[in-house]
Amino acid sequence: MATVKAFSALRFTDKAGDISKNVCPPYDIISPAQREEYIKVSENNIIRLELPIGENAYADAGALYKKLRADGILENDATEGIYVYEEEFEVYGEVKKIKGIFARVKLCEFSENVVLPHEETLSKAKTDRFNLMSATYCNFSPIYSMYTDADRKISGRVADLTNGKADIEFTCEDGVTQRLWKIEKGADTDFIEKAFEDKQLFIADGHHRYETALNFKKKLIEDGVIKCDGCAGNYVMMMLIDMENEGLVVFPTHRMIKGLEKFDEAEAISKISEFFDVCEIARGDIDAKLSENVDKKAYVFCTKSGKFYLLTLKDGDAAKAELDALNPGKSDAYKGLDVTVLHSLILEKLFGIDKENMANQINLKYTRDTDEACDCVKNDEFNCAFILNATKVHEIKDVALAGEKMPQKSTYFYPKLITGLVMNELVPVEKI
């Protein structure tokens, strides 16, 4: 099963200045304006490496990486270790904490059933990450993965080892407090490494980066860089979190529909009624109604007339038969997902938006903001929108174990992991 190893992380040194000014959120949620703001605060901010721009973006990133190494802004730790990472945040009026570990994890093809994906990926993002790795030979951001730990063998040990003050602690502008401890290589890290030997890992966030790491490993083998099993290129940096952690939060991603010709609201409701009970509700009741129906297949349909309808899947064989027909060969776990039911019975069956259309986002746009979903239909660009409940963590595991992948944008783990606290050098900078 999983091979997890301590490593000497690449980190910002004191020469870089305040660490809180040199980290950033994941590159794919940062706008151009936000990128510039991070650089204004600190010229050493990791965003310059993680999200390079310009005609020669990747070459520039490679040159900058070498400069930061030469100037002593970035250096590998002198000793190996496992790095414990905690985020403390507030959500739904409740303060939560989530704690996991940064470590190197041996790359395995999905067919080996050691590291399991749950979501589809896009080739454009993988090409971008591959080009960046080819220029820098480094992981700047971790892949977020989960594991099962019913007896808390790993998470309990980690908690015991990090009861004291963190080595690094600061609060980001979004209110999320970041903490980091290092467990030096020794008996404790040996215990943790061994405990993972019977574990499967479930990717929560970072599918594109994992698939890219697999492809980059092949490049390193072809180039003769990887010459032994222990070479860093055989591994990728992950943040590993216990799937039962009470701090795990998954947000829903809502669907906004655009560009449908001759879309008629009344006709749509009539068609939807074939599979769903339809009840008009007030906008202010959306969250409450979805929460009340969290164990059902329930959605809120936002219309251009300013009305909101709660849709709950009807009991019976009709919907099941359609789900089977539209998802041949798929597992019950996959067909039971809220996003699958919505995509199949409404978007595909009733609106004619097929899977290829969804993948290319021709008539479909995503948002995590309920207000944006509600308000988008006031814009002539959008026909309607659907607000969803969040995918459950156990559903992610069930779909992955079935060897399947969810539709894109099925999950959004919150909060996102910070980029720049620890990094993973795949090839020594002097050999690049």
mmCIF file of all heavy atoms in Angstrom, residues 104-125:
data_model
loop_
_atom_site.group_PDB
_atom_site.id
_atom_site.type_symbol
_atom_site.label_atom_id
_atom_site.label_comp_id
_atom_site.label_asym_id
_atom_site.label_seq_id
_atom_site.Cartn_x
_atom_site.Cartn_y
_atom_site.Cartn_z
ATOM 1 N N ARG A 104 6.536 13.029 1.837
ATOM 2 C CA ARG A 104 6.663 12.510 0.480
ATOM 3 C C ARG A 104 5.899 11.208 0.383
ATOM 4 O O ARG A 104 5.957 10.371 1.284
ATOM 5 C CB ARG A 104 8.130 12.254 0.142
ATOM 6 C CG ARG A 104 8.881 13.457 -0.380
ATOM 7 C CD ARG A 104 10.305 13.103 -0.741
ATOM 8 N NE ARG A 104 11.034 14.259 -1.264
ATOM 9 C CZ ARG A 104 12.351 14.328 -1.328
ATOM 10 N NH1 ARG A 104 13.096 13.299 -0.913
ATOM 11 N NH2 ARG A 104 12.933 15.413 -1.809
ATOM 12 N N VAL A 105 5.198 11.030 -0.734
ATOM 13 C CA VAL A 105 4.423 9.810 -0.973
ATOM 14 C C VAL A 105 4.856 9.229 -2.316
ATOM 15 O O VAL A 105 4.944 9.952 -3.323
ATOM 16 C CB VAL A 105 2.911 10.107 -0.999
ATOM 17 C CG1 VAL A 105 2.122 8.849 -1.356
ATOM 18 C CG2 VAL A 105 2.453 10.641 0.365
ATOM 19 N N LYS A 106 5.125 7.930 -2.326
ATOM 20 C CA LYS A 106 5.565 7.283 -3.560
ATOM 21 C C LYS A 106 4.458 7.307 -4.598
ATOM 22 O O LYS A 106 3.301 6.987 -4.315
ATOM 23 C CB LYS A 106 5.995 5.843 -3.286
ATOM 24 C CG LYS A 106 6.675 5.183 -4.476
ATOM 25 C CD LYS A 106 7.243 3.820 -4.115
ATOM 26 C CE LYS A 106 8.001 3.209 -5.283
ATOM 27 N NZ LYS A 106 8.565 1.884 -4.939
ATOM 28 N N LEU A 107 4.822 7.698 -5.809
ATOM 29 C CA LEU A 107 3.850 7.781 -6.892
ATOM 30 C C LEU A 107 3.434 6.388 -7.346
ATOM 31 O O LEU A 107 4.267 5.516 -7.589
ATOM 32 C CB LEU A 107 4.454 8.540 -8.074
ATOM 33 C CG LEU A 107 4.593 10.054 -7.873
ATOM 34 C CD1 LEU A 107 5.613 10.631 -8.845
ATOM 35 C CD2 LEU A 107 3.239 10.739 -8.037
ATOM 36 N N CYS A 108 2.135 6.172 -7.457
ATOM 37 C CA CYS A 108 1.573 4.900 -7.932
ATOM 38 C C CYS A 108 0.519 5.199 -8.988
ATOM 39 O O CYS A 108 -0.263 6.141 -8.842
ATOM 40 C CB CYS A 108 0.917 4.133 -6.780
ATOM 41 S SG CYS A 108 2.044 3.628 -5.467
ATOM 42 N N GLU A 109 0.495 4.406 -10.039
ATOM 43 C CA GLU A 109 -0.576 4.529 -11.028
ATOM 44 C C GLU A 109 -1.911 4.216 -10.349
ATOM 45 O O GLU A 109 -1.979 3.408 -9.423
ATOM 46 C CB GLU A 109 -0.346 3.564 -12.186
ATOM 47 C CG GLU A 109 0.916 3.843 -12.999
ATOM 48 C CD GLU A 109 0.821 5.098 -13.841
ATOM 49 O OE1 GLU A 109 -0.309 5.590 -14.083
ATOM 50 O OE2 GLU A 109 1.884 5.603 -14.271
ATOM 51 N N PHE A 110 -2.973 4.851 -10.832
ATOM 52 C CA PHE A 110 -4.282 4.628 -10.233
ATOM 53 C C PHE A 110 -4.693 3.157 -10.277
ATOM 54 O O PHE A 110 -5.405 2.665 -9.399
ATOM 55 C CB PHE A 110 -5.331 5.496 -10.921
ATOM 56 C CG PHE A 110 -5.157 6.982 -10.693
ATOM 57 C CD1 PHE A 110 -5.408 7.879 -11.707
ATOM 58 C CD2 PHE A 110 -4.739 7.461 -9.469
ATOM 59 C CE1 PHE A 110 -5.256 9.247 -11.508
ATOM 60 C CE2 PHE A 110 -4.577 8.829 -9.242
ATOM 61 C CZ PHE A 110 -4.841 9.726 -10.274
ATOM 62 N N SER A 111 -4.233 2.447 -11.287
ATOM 63 C CA SER A 111 -4.585 1.032 -11.441
ATOM 64 C C SER A 111 -4.033 0.163 -10.314
ATOM 65 O O SER A 111 -4.508 -0.956 -10.102
ATOM 66 C CB SER A 111 -4.064 0.504 -12.785
ATOM 67 O OG SER A 111 -2.648 0.645 -12.861
ATOM 68 N N GLU A 112 -3.055 0.678 -9.568
ATOM 69 C CA GLU A 112 -2.483 -0.078 -8.451
ATOM 70 C C GLU A 112 -3.355 -0.015 -7.201
ATOM 71 O O GLU A 112 -3.100 -0.714 -6.221
ATOM 72 C CB GLU A 112 -1.080 0.450 -8.132
ATOM 73 C CG GLU A 112 -0.082 0.267 -9.269
ATOM 74 C CD GLU A 112 1.273 0.863 -8.952
ATOM 75 O OE1 GLU A 112 1.871 0.461 -7.924
ATOM 76 O OE2 GLU A 112 1.746 1.734 -9.707
ATOM 77 N N ASN A 113 -4.372 0.841 -7.209
ATOM 78 C CA ASN A 113 -5.325 0.962 -6.095
ATOM 79 C C ASN A 113 -4.654 1.337 -4.772
ATOM 80 O O ASN A 113 -5.077 0.907 -3.705
ATOM 81 C CB ASN A 113 -6.136 -0.328 -5.914
ATOM 82 C CG ASN A 113 -7.119 -0.554 -7.042
ATOM 83 O OD1 ASN A 113 -7.759 0.387 -7.510
ATOM 84 N ND2 ASN A 113 -7.221 -1.783 -7.515
ATOM 85 N N VAL A 114 -3.610 2.148 -4.874
ATOM 86 C CA VAL A 114 -2.956 2.669 -3.669
ATOM 87 C C VAL A 114 -3.365 4.120 -3.464
ATOM 88 O O VAL A 114 -3.797 4.514 -2.382
ATOM 89 C CB VAL A 114 -1.427 2.554 -3.786
ATOM 90 C CG1 VAL A 114 -0.741 3.210 -2.583
ATOM 91 C CG2 VAL A 114 -1.010 1.096 -3.890
ATOM 92 N N VAL A 115 -3.216 4.913 -4.498
ATOM 93 C CA VAL A 115 -3.692 6.296 -4.511
ATOM 94 C C VAL A 115 -4.891 6.345 -5.444
ATOM 95 O O VAL A 115 -4.788 5.975 -6.616
ATOM 96 C CB VAL A 115 -2.598 7.268 -4.993
ATOM 97 C CG1 VAL A 115 -3.136 8.692 -5.042
ATOM 98 C CG2 VAL A 115 -1.373 7.182 -4.086
ATOM 99 N N LEU A 116 -6.024 6.790 -4.912
ATOM 100 C CA LEU A 116 -7.269 6.736 -5.670
ATOM 101 C C LEU A 116 -7.817 8.139 -5.938
ATOM 102 O O LEU A 116 -7.916 8.961 -5.029
ATOM 103 C CB LEU A 116 -8.319 5.918 -4.910
ATOM 104 C CG LEU A 116 -7.934 4.473 -4.580
ATOM 105 C CD1 LEU A 116 -9.007 3.818 -3.740
ATOM 106 C CD2 LEU A 116 -7.715 3.683 -5.856
ATOM 107 N N PRO A 117 -8.187 8.422 -7.189
ATOM 108 C CA PRO A 117 -8.804 9.710 -7.524
ATOM 109 C C PRO A 117 -10.307 9.644 -7.333
ATOM 110 O O PRO A 117 -10.890 8.563 -7.207
ATOM 111 C CB PRO A 117 -8.460 9.853 -9.005
ATOM 112 C CG PRO A 117 -8.544 8.436 -9.508
ATOM 113 C CD PRO A 117 -8.030 7.565 -8.381
ATOM 114 N N HIS A 118 -10.942 10.800 -7.333
ATOM 115 C CA HIS A 118 -12.411 10.794 -7.292
ATOM 116 C C HIS A 118 -13.014 11.756 -8.308
ATOM 117 O O HIS A 118 -14.229 11.811 -8.457
ATOM 118 C CB HIS A 118 -12.941 11.133 -5.889
ATOM 119 C CG HIS A 118 -12.896 12.599 -5.542
ATOM 120 N ND1 HIS A 118 -11.851 13.175 -4.871
ATOM 121 C CD2 HIS A 118 -13.777 13.603 -5.788
ATOM 122 C CE1 HIS A 118 -12.087 14.461 -4.706
ATOM 123 N NE2 HIS A 118 -13.233 14.750 -5.264
ATOM 124 N N GLU A 119 -12.182 12.510 -9.027
ATOM 125 C CA GLU A 119 -12.737 13.536 -9.902
ATOM 126 C C GLU A 119 -12.006 13.566 -11.234
ATOM 127 O O GLU A 119 -10.811 13.286 -11.314
ATOM 128 C CB GLU A 119 -12.627 14.908 -9.213
ATOM 129 C CG GLU A 119 -13.593 15.954 -9.722
ATOM 130 C CD GLU A 119 -13.668 17.156 -8.795
ATOM 131 O OE1 GLU A 119 -12.720 17.951 -8.783
ATOM 132 O OE2 GLU A 119 -14.669 17.291 -8.066
ATOM 133 N N GLU A 120 -12.731 13.926 -12.291
ATOM 134 C CA GLU A 120 -12.160 14.033 -13.619
ATOM 135 C C GLU A 120 -11.225 15.245 -13.705
ATOM 136 O O GLU A 120 -11.340 16.199 -12.934
ATOM 137 C CB GLU A 120 -13.263 14.177 -14.678
ATOM 138 C CG GLU A 120 -14.186 12.972 -14.793
ATOM 139 C CD GLU A 120 -13.524 11.767 -15.451
ATOM 140 O OE1 GLU A 120 -12.357 11.894 -15.904
ATOM 141 O OE2 GLU A 120 -14.162 10.707 -15.519
ATOM 142 N N THR A 121 -10.288 15.210 -14.668
ATOM 143 C CA THR A 121 -9.334 16.301 -14.822
ATOM 144 C C THR A 121 -9.382 16.872 -16.232
ATOM 145 O O THR A 121 -9.967 16.277 -17.147
ATOM 146 C CB THR A 121 -7.898 15.808 -14.535
ATOM 147 O OG1 THR A 121 -7.607 14.687 -15.394
ATOM 148 C CG2 THR A 121 -7.751 15.390 -13.089
ATOM 149 N N LEU A 122 -8.746 18.035 -16.417
ATOM 150 C CA LEU A 122 -8.687 18.703 -17.705
ATOM 151 C C LEU A 122 -7.247 18.714 -18.214
ATOM 152 O O LEU A 122 -6.307 18.964 -17.454
ATOM 153 C CB LEU A 122 -9.195 20.144 -17.588
ATOM 154 C CG LEU A 122 -10.655 20.319 -17.160
ATOM 155 C CD1 LEU A 122 -10.939 21.783 -16.865
ATOM 156 C CD2 LEU A 122 -11.600 19.799 -18.227
ATOM 157 N N SER A 123 -7.048 18.475 -19.497
ATOM 158 C CA SER A 123 -5.700 18.365 -20.052
ATOM 159 C C SER A 123 -4.945 19.692 -20.006
ATOM 160 O O SER A 123 -3.725 19.713 -19.839
ATOM 161 C CB SER A 123 -5.760 17.846 -21.488
ATOM 162 O OG SER A 123 -6.555 18.702 -22.290
ATOM 163 N N LYS A 124 -5.646 20.810 -20.157
ATOM 164 C CA LYS A 124 -4.989 22.122 -20.175
ATOM 165 C C LYS A 124 -4.246 22.378 -18.868
ATOM 166 O O LYS A 124 -3.097 22.839 -18.870
ATOM 167 C CB LYS A 124 -6.015 23.232 -20.424
ATOM 168 C CG LYS A 124 -5.399 24.621 -20.499
ATOM 169 C CD LYS A 124 -6.459 25.674 -20.771
ATOM 170 C CE LYS A 124 -5.843 27.073 -20.828
ATOM 171 N NZ LYS A 124 -6.869 28.129 -21.086
ATOM 172 N N ALA A 125 -4.879 22.083 -17.743
ATOM 173 C CA ALA A 125 -4.249 22.316 -16.443
ATOM 174 C C ALA A 125 -3.048 21.402 -16.254
ATOM 175 O O ALA A 125 -2.027 21.812 -15.682
ATOM 176 C CB ALA A 125 -5.275 22.098 -15.326
#
